[in-house]
Amino acid sequence: MDILVIGSGGREHAILVGLRKSPRVGRLYALPGNGGMAGLATLVPIGVKELDRIVQFAKLVKVAFVVVGPDDPLVLGLVDMLEAEGIACFGPNRRAAIIEGSKIFSKGLMKRHGIPSAAYEAFSEVGQALSYAETCPLPAVVKADGLALGKGVVIATTREALVGAIRSMMVDRVFGTSGESIVIEEFLSGIEVSVLSFTDGKTLVPMLSSMDHKRAFDGDLGPNTGGMGVIAPNPYYSQEMEGLCMQTIFLPTLRAMQEEGRPFKGCLYFGLMLTSGGPKVIEYNCRFGDPELQAILPLLDSDLLSTMLAVSQGRLADIDVTFSQGASCCVVLASGGYPASYETGKAVTIGELGQGVTCLHAGTRLVPGGLVTNGGRVLNLVATADTLAEAVAKAYGAVGSVSFAGMHYRKDIGKLALEA
Ligand code: AMP
Ligand code: GLY
């Protein structure tokens, strides 16, 4: 079976590695892919938002299955366009992807169906948002309604910061039309857990839990990024907690989407806060987390392709999805300056990594002289081991084997988890 994977990050590299293990996989294409994928897949130089060109290409090479990694093409309706041509996909259609594409939709969904989440108000007029900001409780969390590369959230601890965030989104339009409308919500405190799940719209199978590290610097300081590292499983997320989340969040969300005529197929990602008042949803994503997936997939025992096909064909209840014991750690090596501006084109060298460690590529590109940096998050070092402590030590043990000018990474991935 020939398969097209859409995306160019560490997540998509992990998907290609996972698919390659399946005996049923034939040719693999990565669109647009990156410098580390060249040995695994044919790279296709088309952008992930060029939907017409993607569909044309998929028809031309007659792929049987398309796996869509990033949020943008899902929210724009790539799956709808491919399915209209009879090409099966892993990923939700446009009506279902709105669960990530609009915070106002997802907050409304939770309110309508009694799913626990932070209290909020939605605004499409800046005057109303500013007058609410005069008296609302602090800290307050301001979120752009639409997609913003994981950067559309501001936690404001002062009135000035709150007003600044509202103005930058609604007046200065730093996130373009994504900030035309905003949500202002209650600040939740607690431990964060990411739970990715496979769902075909009727059955939902959670993957191993994980913990992302979203801030740029050690000690959870600095700006939000797409994610600087992950450990899995998350030791703060007990079996009991999983049962509670299943009953109060996961299944109610699945039913809510069905009832509203938006059945969800693909990976539904629950960003959760374990608060003193119980688990609450911080956000939904309509796709695998990046870098969460890089830490989770090495612990998946069952066949990735079979699971993706079962999701796409509505047969998830008929198959077993199993994970191994043990733990994993993914450390992101980023370009200096990320998530703000950074330089690209720096030479990358990768030496011996040690047993049980792999290097997945994100922002890299192959040029005639070799491998160079081509993005904010450049490489992911992923280690698996029997215990979390060993996995963390192995991942950090490999950092010295990799180099590029300006390399920045967090030194404390897994620290909070090891304190559990
Ligand atoms: P999001 O893009 O919605 O995942 O938000 C990015 C990060 O902001 C989350 O991972 C949390 O760390 C933080 N965050 C978002 N919403 C809240 C909230 N209501 N209370 C506290 N922290 C939040
Ligand atoms: N790592 C967070 C995300 O994928 O949204």
Side-chain angles (χ1 to χ4, degrees):
M1 176 182 272
D2 293 352
I3 303 176
L4 170 63
V5 175
I6 309 293
S8 62
R11 169 181 55 204
E12 288 77 22
H13 195 175
I15 292 171
L16 289 169
V17 170
L19 289 175
R20 242 315 145 230
K21 290 184 192 156
S22 172
R24 293 151 76 189
V25 171
R27 246 183 224 134
L28 284 173
Y29 298 92
L31 183 155
N34 65 41
M37 299 175 179
L40 277 170
T42 304
L43 305 188
V44 184
I46 295 177
V48 301
K49 294 203 254 183
E50 296 183 88
L51 304 196
D52 289 320
R53 293 186 66 200
I54 295 174
V55 175
Q56 263 175 21
F57 176 80
K59 284 165 66 182
L60 180 75
V61 296
K62 298 193 171 62
V63 290
F65 196 52
V66 178
V67 179
V68 187
D71 45 14
D72 277 307
L74 292 166
V75 171
L76 292 170
L78 178 60
V79 166
D80 309 59
M81 290 169 65
L82 289 163
E83 286 181 348
E85 298 289 343
I87 301 171
C89 297
F90 182 86
N93 64 17
R94 183 179 181 166
R95 282 183 59 75
I98 192 174
I99 198 165
E100 176 170 3
S102 168
K103 301 263 192 220
I104 294 179
F105 171 82
S106 65
K107 295 297 293 185
L109 183 85
M110 290 186 269
K111 194 181 245 181
R112 290 191 289 279
H113 297 269
I115 297 165
S117 180
Y120 78 105
E121 297 288 336
F123 300 95
S124 53
E125 291 199 11
V126 65
Q128 286 174 1
L130 289 172
S131 86
Y132 177 75
E134 284 169 18
T135 53
C136 75
L138 289 177
V141 184
V142 187
K143 300 186 172 184
D145 176 48
L147 298 179
L149 296 171
K151 297 173 196 162
V153 173
V154 175
I155 296 172
T157 48
T158 63
R159 300 263 163 229
E160 294 68 41
L162 180 56
V163 167
I166 294 168
R167 285 194 178 282
S168 76
M169 288 185 200
M170 299 186 87
V171 180
D172 306 337
R173 294 287 167 91
V174 291
F175 303 119
T177 53
S178 286
E180 261 172 18
S181 301
I182 62 164
V183 163
I184 301 181
E185 69 177 30
E186 169 199 7
F187 177 80
L188 299 176
S189 45
I191 296 276
E192 284 190 59
V193 182
S194 305
V195 180
L196 285 57
S197 68
F198 290 110
T199 175
D200 60 5
K202 300 168 290 189
T203 301
L204 182 143
V205 179
M207 296 175 223
L208 280 187
S209 63
S210 58
M211 181 188 282
D212 193 7
H213 298 67
K214 288 213 169 78
R215 301 296 196 96
F217 308 124
D218 289 7
D220 286 331
L221 298 174
N224 263 321
T225 69
M228 293 298 292
V230 168
I231 58 89
N234 186 324
Y236 293 94
Y237 184 74
S238 62
Q239 256 187 348
E240 207 179 6
M241 183 59 76
E242 176 166 58
L244 183 62
C245 291
M246 194 61 138
Q247 294 314 317
T248 60
I249 294 174
F250 306 160
L251 295 177
T253 302
L254 200 63
R255 279 196 296 269
M257 291 295 277
Q258 273 164 11
E259 281 170 21
E260 299 202 1
R262 301 176 183 274
F264 188 103
K265 273 197 214 183
C267 171
L268 184 52
Y269 167 132
F270 301 88
L272 305 175
M273 187 77 87
L274 307 183
T275 75
S276 54
K280 296 189 177 177
V281 177
I282 301 177
E283 63 158 349
Y284 293 115
N285 290 327
C286 67
R287 49 162 179 92
F288 294 119
D290 181 345
E292 283 90 335
L293 189 69
Q294 290 90 305
I296 293 168
L297 271 192
L299 298 170
L300 177 71
D301 270 341
S302 46
D303 185 60
L304 177 63
L305 176 63
S306 307
T307 308
M308 288 182 159
L309 290 173
V311 164
S312 141
Q313 295 161 1
R315 301 184 282 102
L316 187 57
D318 302 339
I319 66 155
D320 284 324
V321 181
T322 54
F323 290 89
S324 52
Q325 298 291 319
S328 73
C329 174
C330 168
V331 175
V332 172
L333 308 178
S335 296
Y338 172 78
S341 64
Y342 51 82
E343 291 176 12
T344 59
K346 309 289 180 199
V348 178
T349 57
I350 303 171
E352 274 299 310
L353 298 174
Q355 213 219 335
V357 186
T358 48
C359 180
L360 298 170
H361 291 228
T364 71
R365 194 158 68 93
L366 262 181
V367 295
L371 198 64
V372 296
T373 65
N374 188 41
R377 292 187 291 180
V378 177
L379 297 169
N380 304 156
L381 290 173
V382 184
T384 53
D386 290 340
T387 66
L388 179 61
E390 286 171 86
V392 170
K394 272 163 98 174
Y396 278 110
V399 171
S401 308
V402 177
S403 75
F404 54 88
M407 181 168 100
H408 162 70
Y409 61 96
R410 275 182 63 163
K411 318 272 184 307
D412 65 345
I413 304 302
K415 183 167 179 280
L416 178 62
L418 286 169
E419 287 165 7

